[in-house]
Amino acid sequence: MGTIVFFYFASVIVATAALVVALRSPVYCALALLVMFFHVAGLFVTLHAEFLAVIQILVYAGAILVLYLFVVMLLNLKAEVRFHHQLTVGLFLGCMLFAEAVLLVVKGETSLGANLPAPGEPTHLTQGNTESIGELLYSTYLFPFEIASLILLVAMVGAVILTKKGILEAKS
């Protein structure tokens, strides 16, 4: 049953991610992205990472997607007309990734989960899910966490500058 649920979430995630890239309307892309965020959260729930699922919905589906929609509305974007210039490169890269995935499945070389304990063994959790994530974010991954926040800040400033086209020009 767990495998079927996993493949459902994974297939919807892949399909909606492809729609995010392939659709021409930015609003439809945002809706596909929203569906993808909810399914990623569902995948986190199946992995017993409930905190990450809630954060996925609150931060990504709630905040970042709304910010994205505001930027789309402020920029008054129309359908992208230059989409087909990148079609051959995208198809080539997609075919390469698909061939690699097929090769991995055919050869049966999946090292994912090789170091996991046997399913019958009880695991002893010393910390909760939230506590572990917080400890890792503020100790081991502090620098990448700060870099990600700086990149988001720069993106937000860039979006404001793009929406205010005449903000840097001198008034005459």
Side-chain angles (χ1 to χ4, degrees), residues 55-77:
I55 293 300
Q56 173 77 23
I57 291 172
L58 288 178
V59 172
Y60 286 99
I64 291 179
L65 193 62
V66 169
L67 178 67
Y68 176 77
L69 284 175
F70 275 126
V71 169
V72 165
M73 287 188 290
L74 287 174
L75 292 178
N76 196 15
L77 292 177

Side-chain angles (χ1 to χ4, degrees), residues 37-97:
F37 285 154
F38 277 108
H39 281 80
V40 168
L43 198 57
F44 283 144
V45 169
T46 62
L47 295 172
H48 301 289
E50 294 84 8
F51 177 73
L52 283 179
V54 171
I55 293 300
Q56 173 77 23
I57 291 172
L58 288 178
V59 172
Y60 286 99
I64 291 179
L65 193 62
V66 169
L67 178 67
Y68 176 77
L69 284 175
F70 275 126
V71 169
V72 165
M73 287 188 290
L74 287 174
L75 292 178
N76 196 15
L77 292 177
K78 303 293 182 205
E80 182 67 35
V81 293
R82 296 176 293 147
F83 175 72
H84 291 291
H85 294 287
Q86 302 167 351
L87 184 62
T88 54
V89 175
L91 282 176
F92 175 72
L93 290 176
C95 289
M96 293 294 290
L97 288 174

Side-chain angles (χ1 to χ4, degrees), residues 33 61 104 114 166-167:
L33 190 63
L104 285 175
I167 197 169

Side-chain angles (χ1 to χ4, degrees), residues 89-137:
V89 175
L91 282 176
F92 175 72
L93 290 176
C95 289
M96 293 294 290
L97 288 174
F98 183 73
E100 184 176 352
V102 168
L103 183 66
L104 285 175
V105 169
V106 168
K107 290 180 77 176
E109 293 182 14
T110 57
S111 62
L112 296 174
N115 296 329
L116 293 176
E121 295 179 18
T123 56
H124 301 288
L125 296 176
T126 56
Q127 294 178 330
N129 191 9
T130 310
E131 189 176 349
S132 299
I133 291 172
E135 185 176 315
L136 283 175
L137 273 181

